Amino acid sequence: MLPWLRDAIFYEIYPQSFYDSNDDGIGDINGITEKLGYIRDLGCNALWINPCFDSPFKDAGYDVRDYAQVASRYGSNADLERLFRQAHTMGMHVLLDLVPGHTSEEHAWFVQSKRAEPNELSDRYIWTNSTFANADGMPFIGGESPRDGTYILNFFKSQPALNYGFGTRNQVWQQSPDSSAANATKHAMIDIMRFWLSRGCDGFRVDMADSLVKKDDEEKTETIRVWQQMLRPIRAEFPEAAFVSEWGRPWQAFKAGFDMDFYLDWRWDGKPNGYSLLARNTDHPETRSGDMSYFASDSPTTIDAFLADYLPQYYRVDGHGAFCFITGNHDSPRLAPRLSISEIAVAYAMFLTMPGIPFIYYGDEIGMRYQSLPSVEGGYRRTGSRTPMQWNNGRNCGFSDADPDRLYLPVDHSSGAPTVEQQQGDSQSLLNSVKELTTLRRRSVALRPDAPFAVIAAPLGSKTFVYRRGEGEHSLIIALNAGNTLQRLSHDALGLLTSPTCVVSRNARLTDSSLELGPSSYAIMAR
């Protein structure tokens, strides 16, 4: 593991919604630079910035028009390079968001690729050999270009898929991952990474990293090989660069060469994975009705189902990389208002003390609320998690001095909407609980990303969960009560032979013989 990742805590920033420094209603790079002190004081020493490159913004920047140019609404390349320098001066690192699987339909590569006459970029994207050809079950667009063919999409109509080849080929137009065209795509992506790393970027979060090679096998054999081919030269040139994948299968991601992989929130057809079971096991992100999440204190869900999903992955990874917990992200519904602040605090106590490297989504530290909003820039249901950061009770909650109708998205004006200013002076606030946890994490050897993890107690039918991080004298015991009733655990049940010391707690009390965990509570104890 890279040395700087050993005590890293990341803060994810959606740039258009964090802080508007020039009062045009949209957050920008200089706004992020102005708020670096706040991020550092929160306890985060690394940033992940969602795409900030030139784009028509049909998918909020995940449709890149020029990888080497900052979007004008965010500022300039010089502004971004100044952010890198300032962050480094403050002992912080910055990851950018790399979108390697597709571009905007307005990218110069695609403009060339869709021409009728063959050229060096004709096969930069995946095209069939006829406008009326079968696209082999993949989404496609036809009839929009002079070229006689249809092009394959990754997501929206505006996002043509880049060509990294096919693992299984059954059409004449499908190329090998080792074809000259696929190799050219790899070299182009290497050049993009090199461009920003040479200007001060510290690495990349990689969008849909597992999706590059089409028709790959279940173990993503060819996609893994493609990443090995791309990361090998970058590692040689930039040995301190870090890479985190949106993959969700860490044993594959680490084999591909990534340092970190996200424990993603997956819930397909009402069937949640382990992470979703914890905090987002619901069809209705704004309401309590039907919420079966573990951290919902009135749900019957215990920790067992999460452990059944998580532990096999944890053991399979075996210290080869960091399998990372997130408080949320730009694609997931925020936990509030569905969960109470006390329930959210218990969730964060777990996320910030588990193995891997934690990621805090901007605003989660104050319990910003998910809002039901019309879609903006292809956000659809995700739009409600992308609203402006709430700094204070001033105009537009301190996000911008622009007229409210010019804001990228509306701020939360509902009663009791949380702000940084309001919570900074409240010792019991969620913000200060997060600061307490991040401080402990960065100071404790037991909470390093690869420090040992062991389940101590997960009583059948109970919503308590006790685990140990670290070993020997460098160990901590973390006890959670996600339920709505008082729970008492003896020192023996906590795996303690001597009287422990409570290091951090919320709604919990340690006695000479037991730990009393109130509703929605946690305690972190040293031996």
Side-chain angles (χ1 to χ4, degrees):
M1 179 174 292
L2 294 171
W4 70 265
L5 288 177
R6 293 187 65 79
D7 70 345
I9 301 174
F10 279 87
Y11 192 76
E12 180 192 350
I13 294 176
Y14 199 63
Q16 50 267 62
S17 295
F18 191 57
Y19 185 63
D20 174 17
S21 71
N22 62 358
D23 299 329
D24 64 355
I26 297 177
D28 46 54
I29 300 298
N30 287 336
I32 298 172
T33 303
E34 284 190 37
K35 295 295 186 179
L36 285 177
Y38 166 79
I39 298 166
R40 184 183 59 183
D41 291 345
L42 179 64
C44 296
N45 55 2
L47 311 182
W48 155 30
I49 301 174
N50 293 118
C52 56
F53 308 122
D54 177 52
S55 169
F57 293 102
K58 295 180 181 179
D59 188 15
Y62 281 93
D63 50 327
V64 178
R65 185 163 52 197
D66 186 346
Y67 289 102
Q69 182 63 52
V70 168
S72 59
R73 76 184 195 180
Y74 299 137
S76 66
N77 285 19
D79 293 333
L80 186 53
E81 291 177 39
R82 186 171 71 90
L83 170 60
F84 297 150
R85 291 193 300 271
Q86 184 62 28
H88 295 162
T89 298
M90 299 171 68
M92 304 170 75
H93 293 78
V94 182
L95 303 189
L96 296 181
D97 209 320
L98 182 69
V99 187
H102 55 263
T103 70
S104 163
E105 62 190 347
E106 297 181 22
H107 196 290
W109 294 344
F110 191 68
V111 172
Q112 285 285 106
S113 186
K114 68 183 182 180
R115 289 182 176 176
E117 5 9 283
N119 59 77
E120 62 179 4
L121 291 171
S122 292
D123 292 330
R124 179 57 53 87
Y125 300 82
I126 304 172
W127 291 85
T128 67
N129 59 348
S130 166
T131 300
F132 304 100
N134 174 8
D136 201 19
M138 292 176 287
F140 68 96
I141 293 289
E144 287 205 352
S145 71
R147 180 171 178 165
D148 184 13
T150 61
Y151 58 91
I152 306 304
L153 301 174
N154 266 357
F155 298 103
F156 295 161
K157 176 259 179 190
S158 58
Q159 294 166 319
L162 287 163
N163 180 18
Y164 293 90
F166 285 72
T168 299
R169 297 172 291 284
N170 54 28
Q171 303 289 334
V172 295
W173 46 267
Q174 295 174 350
Q175 301 180 15
S176 163
D178 291 320
S179 66
S180 59
N183 285 335
T185 305
K186 296 172 208 172
H187 289 306
M189 205 53 57
I190 290 170
D191 286 343
I192 291 161
M193 290 188 276
R194 182 182 289 122
F195 179 88
W196 287 111
L197 290 168
S198 67
R199 285 160 173 78
C201 171
D202 296 298
F204 297 92
R205 174 268 189 184
V206 179
D207 182 65
M208 294 298 295
D210 64 332
S211 68
L212 300 191
V213 176
K214 305 304 181 188
K215 305 288 183 179
D216 205 352
D217 60 33
E218 189 171 329
E219 281 301 311
K220 299 292 183 179
T221 302
E222 292 299 332
T223 299
I224 287 171
R225 193 162 65 88
V226 163
W227 277 113
Q228 290 171 340
Q229 291 168 345
M230 291 196 292
L231 291 178
R232 191 176 297 119
I234 290 295
R235 294 284 194 194
E237 291 181 55
F238 304 95
E240 291 298 307
F243 294 84
V244 55
S245 57
E246 185 186 29
W247 199 302
R249 293 180 176 86
W251 62 94
Q252 296 176 357
F254 301 153
K255 187 176 180 180
F258 287 91
D259 302 283
M260 301 167 277
D261 186 31
F262 290 121
Y263 199 3
L264 296 170
D265 175 30
W266 286 344
R267 191 174 186 272
W268 307 115
D269 299 324
K271 297 176 182 178
N273 73 338
Y275 179 84
S276 185
L277 281 165
L278 291 175
R280 293 178 172 82
N281 190 15
T282 177
D283 290 323
H284 308 288
E286 278 192 290
T287 63
R288 188 69 169 213
S289 176
D291 187 357
M292 296 297 288
S293 304
Y294 169 69
F295 290 117
S297 60
D298 53 355
S299 85
T301 303
T302 63
I303 200 67
D304 305 75
F306 160 77
L307 292 174
D309 182 79
Y310 174 72
L311 287 176
Q313 298 182 79
Y314 171 74
Y315 294 133
R316 189 171 183 180
V317 169
D318 193 26
H320 292 297
F323 192 26
C324 301
F325 283 81
I326 59 176
T327 63
N329 66 18
H330 60 289
D331 288 333
S332 300
R334 293 190 187 269
L335 299 184
R338 179 174 48 84
L339 297 184
S340 71
I341 294 302
S342 294
E343 291 167 334
I344 293 171
V346 180
Y348 292 176
M350 180 176 172
F351 297 156
L352 287 165
T353 57
M354 286 292 283
I357 299 170
F359 282 70
I360 298 173
Y361 184 48
Y362 83 97
D364 278 357
E365 71 273 20
I366 59 170
M368 275 181 57
R369 301 166 176 173
Y370 178 83
Q371 299 184 63
S372 181
L373 296 171
S375 179
V376 171
E377 294 187 348
Y380 298 97
R381 193 178 186 186
R382 304 170 297 178
T383 303
S385 294
R386 301 174 175 184
T387 55
M389 181 67 174
Q390 293 155 203
W391 296 101
N392 55 48
N393 292 322
R395 184 179 177 88
N396 299 317
C397 293
F399 164 70
S400 172
D401 277 337
D403 290 338
D405 59 4
R406 293 182 61 204
L407 297 187
Y408 173 73
L409 287 171
V411 298
D412 182 0
H413 286 299
S414 61
S415 175
T419 69
V420 171
E421 183 179 62
Q422 160 207 341
Q423 294 194 15
Q424 281 176 327
D426 178 0
S427 62
Q428 300 302 308
S429 69
L430 183 61
L431 176 63
N432 282 310
S433 292
V434 170
K435 287 183 178 181
E436 191 174 39
L437 290 164
T438 57
T439 298
L440 176 65
R441 184 176 182 100
R442 292 188 60 192
R443 289 178 177 173
S444 177
V445 174
L447 297 179
R448 292 281 171 84
D450 54 355
F453 164 78
V455 176
I456 300 298
L460 189 66
S462 169
K463 288 177 74 74
T464 57
F465 176 36
V466 184
Y467 53 97
R468 182 181 67 246
R469 294 296 317 280
E471 55 191 351
E473 63 180 15
H474 297 295
S475 64
L476 293 173
I477 302 296
I478 297 94
L480 312 175
N481 176 17
N484 56 13
T485 59
L486 175 70
Q487 300 292 318
R488 288 186 178 88
L489 298 171
S490 69
H491 288 185
D492 287 345
L494 296 170
L496 298 167
L497 300 178
T498 59
S499 296
T501 301
C502 195
V503 181
V504 170
S505 67
R506 186 180 178 104
N507 196 24
R509 187 171 74 94
L510 189 63
T511 72
D512 291 339
S513 60
S514 68
L515 172 68
E516 296 180 354
L517 290 167
S520 296
S521 62
Y522 59 84
I524 302 173
M525 295 158 288
R527 292 172 180 249

